[in-house]
């Protein structure tokens, strides 16, 4: 049964719980998927799919305001060292991941201009204007 979207929802990510990529997705699952029988995978593509709505707390919401408490803690945890390790792991799996984009992203980090994993997560949110993250 298709229900019309409800009013906006207010959500809260506890940034102090985010220590690495697995804990980020554990927190996203806690916030966005509390009543689902399955969980979001550790993938930016999966996060993008989630933010389109259709399941979890966004299934019937017209929009969402997401307060990211202690975002500075998350920003640090998902910063340059973690991002380098994330990209290096991609380079070790050329059968699964395209090496050229990962290498280019590492080069950008080395030049001080690259995006961290935290930045990439915010980029995914930016692609969904109906889901508004508020860094606190």
């Amino acid at each position: 049964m298709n229900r019309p979207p409800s009013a906006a929802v207010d959500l809260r990510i506890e940034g102090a719980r985010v220590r690495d990529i697995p804990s980020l997705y554990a927190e996203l699952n806690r916030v966005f998927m509390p009543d689902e029988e399955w969980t979001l995978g550790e993938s930016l593509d999966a996060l993008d799919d989630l933010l389109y709505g259709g399941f979890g707390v966004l299934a019937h919401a017209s929009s969402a305001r997401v307060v990211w408490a202690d975002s500075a803690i998350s920003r640090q945890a998902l910063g340059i060292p973690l991002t380098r390790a994330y990209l290096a792991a991609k380079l070790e799996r050329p059968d699964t991941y395209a090496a050229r984009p990962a290498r280019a992203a590492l080069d950008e980090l080395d030049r001080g201009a690259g995006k961290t994993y935290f930045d990439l997560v915010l980029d995914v949110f930016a692609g969904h204007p109906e889901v508004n993250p508020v860094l606190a």
Side-chain angles (χ1 to χ4, degrees):
M1 174 179 182
N2 289 337
R3 292 189 293 173
S6 65
V9 295
D10 286 320
L11 304 169
R12 182 180 173 95
I13 294 171
E14 297 295 343
R17 294 181 179 188
V18 176
R19 299 169 309 285
D20 52 22
I21 292 172
S23 61
L24 166 67
Y25 287 93
E27 181 64 4
L28 293 172
N29 278 306
R30 183 189 71 78
V31 172
F32 288 95
M33 305 286 285
D35 297 325
E36 294 290 340
E37 293 181 8
W38 56 281
T39 59
L40 189 66
E42 295 174 10
S43 156
L44 294 168
D45 290 335
L47 174 60
D48 191 44
D49 290 344
L50 168 72
L51 297 179
Y52 276 110
F55 51 89
V57 297
L58 299 178
H60 303 289
S62 60
S63 63
R65 178 176 176 264
V66 183
V67 173
W68 194 321
D70 296 318
S71 62
I73 294 171
S74 298
R75 183 182 296 276
Q76 183 176 359
L78 303 174
I80 291 172
L82 177 136
T83 306
R84 276 200 174 104
Y86 164 76
L87 293 168
K90 286 184 171 239
L91 289 174
E92 293 174 5
R93 302 275 319 269
D95 56 316
T96 305
Y97 300 104
R100 185 171 289 159
R103 171 56 51 205
L106 273 171
D107 291 345
E108 287 289 309
L109 279 177
D110 290 341
R111 286 195 296 275
K115 292 186 176 189
T116 65
Y117 199 87
F118 185 82
D119 297 326
L120 296 173
V121 168
L122 292 181
D123 284 352
V124 173
F125 273 92
H128 301 274
E130 68 284 353
V131 182
N132 179 31
V134 178
L135 303 182

